[in-house]
Amino acid sequence: MSDPMRPRASLRTAVVWEVLQDALDQRLKATGRDSLDVLDTGGGSGNFAVPVARLGHRVTVVDPSPNALFALERRAAEAGVADRVRGVQGDAHGLFDVVERGGYDVVLCHGVLEYVDDPAEGVRNAVAALRSEGVLSLLAAGLGGAVLARALAGHFKEAKQALESPDGRWGSGDPVPRRFTAEQLTALVAGAGLRVGAVHGVRVFADLVPGVLVDTEPGALDALLKLEAAAAELPAFHSVATQLHVLGETAVSPGA
């Protein structure tokens, strides 16, 4: 499966994209249809929505930013998928003010839970948007990755503060309002009534490796991508990943 993202950006997206594309393929086979209805909450300018639409699926993007939605429209047009991508202004808490409840085969909730007031409600709304058989793709900031990054930068007090903070923040200047452990994310998914499927650590090494090395050393990018893929599924590395990706599936197994 090829990664549609730019090579350098693929360090941030490759693991999630591979898992997501496989989940889309499986759901497509289970439905017997030619395409799926996909909801991307907080989808912004279409980093995932446009590649998903290029696979032939219909994607609705909900985002609070008009500028992001404008960029999405332009990006979809440039990719030739404007007829399969629809952007609407809204957020996770008021989701059903702008989209249909129970109308989607797959829901993406990427980079949303860090910013909502009530993460559990955000997940419940995402699940409520699913059809009776569907898949939730959940991506959120990982606690351990932030702690490790602050420590390696020599900010030991901030690393300790992030480790001990209920929200995983390293200080008042931290741009991320909330971070999660893998256990917290899987509990949110299970608490919303879904079966927890695959759990992956994302950007386990990528944010710690000097960019100049990746950009100039022959073969380094490909080797790093392969290392990320190999480590992503191993629970031992979930605790140090910059982001965590969880797939939630409805209780009815595909094909059941």
Side-chain angles (χ1 to χ4, degrees):
M1 288 180 287
S2 61
D3 185 352
M5 315 297 180
R6 297 184 303 277
R8 190 69 176 86
S10 65
L11 279 173
R12 296 177 176 269
T13 59
V15 168
V16 179
W17 176 250
E18 291 295 322
V19 175
L20 178 60
Q21 189 172 1
D22 186 56
L24 289 165
D25 290 345
Q26 290 187 32
R27 186 97 297 274
L28 194 63
K29 291 175 184 176
T31 63
R33 303 201 309 269
D34 295 329
S35 63
L36 300 172
D37 293 306
V38 179
L39 174 63
D40 189 354
T41 64
S45 61
N47 286 340
F48 283 92
V50 169
V52 168
R54 289 176 64 188
L55 295 176
H57 305 299
R58 297 175 294 275
V59 187
T60 299
V61 176
V62 176
D63 197 277
S65 168
N67 290 337
L69 294 174
F70 178 77
L72 167 71
E73 184 178 353
R74 184 177 61 220
R75 190 175 195 167
E78 290 173 351
V81 295
D83 59 327
R84 294 197 293 274
V85 176
R86 179 174 73 102
V88 292
Q89 190 172 358
D91 57 35
H93 286 309
L95 192 59
F96 301 114
D97 294 335
V98 293
V99 301
E100 178 187 358
R101 187 181 295 268
Y104 300 90
D105 301 291
V106 178
V107 173
L108 278 55
C109 186
H110 294 175
V112 172
L113 296 189
E114 297 93 325
Y115 300 95
V116 298
D117 293 333
D118 185 346
E121 182 189 354
V123 175
R124 287 195 300 269
N125 280 354
V127 171
L130 285 171
R131 289 179 171 142
S132 58
E133 296 184 32
V135 174
L136 171 67
S137 175
L138 185 63
L139 180 69
L143 169 63
V147 173
L148 186 61
R150 300 316 289 175
L152 290 178
H155 302 300
F156 306 122
K157 290 182 179 178
E158 292 180 350
K160 184 172 182 289
Q161 183 169 337
L163 185 63
E164 296 174 345
S165 166
D167 293 330
R169 303 188 74 224
W170 47 258
S172 59
D174 192 336
V176 179
R178 187 183 292 105
R179 295 184 178 86
F180 301 86
T181 64
E183 291 77 16
Q184 288 171 329
L185 287 180
T186 55
L188 286 171
V189 170
L194 295 187
R195 181 178 69 82
V196 176
V199 180
H200 289 83
V202 180
R203 289 154 56 195
V204 174
F205 308 103
D207 292 350
L208 304 176
V209 175
V212 64
L213 187 155
V214 177
D215 293 333
T216 60
E217 187 73 20
L221 176 61
D222 185 58
L224 181 54
L225 283 169
K226 290 177 179 176
L227 176 61
E228 288 280 356
E233 291 188 61
L234 300 177
F237 290 98
H238 294 170
S239 59
V240 294
T242 298
Q243 291 180 308
L244 294 161
H245 184 238
V246 179
L247 274 186
E249 301 167 345
T250 49
V252 180
S253 299

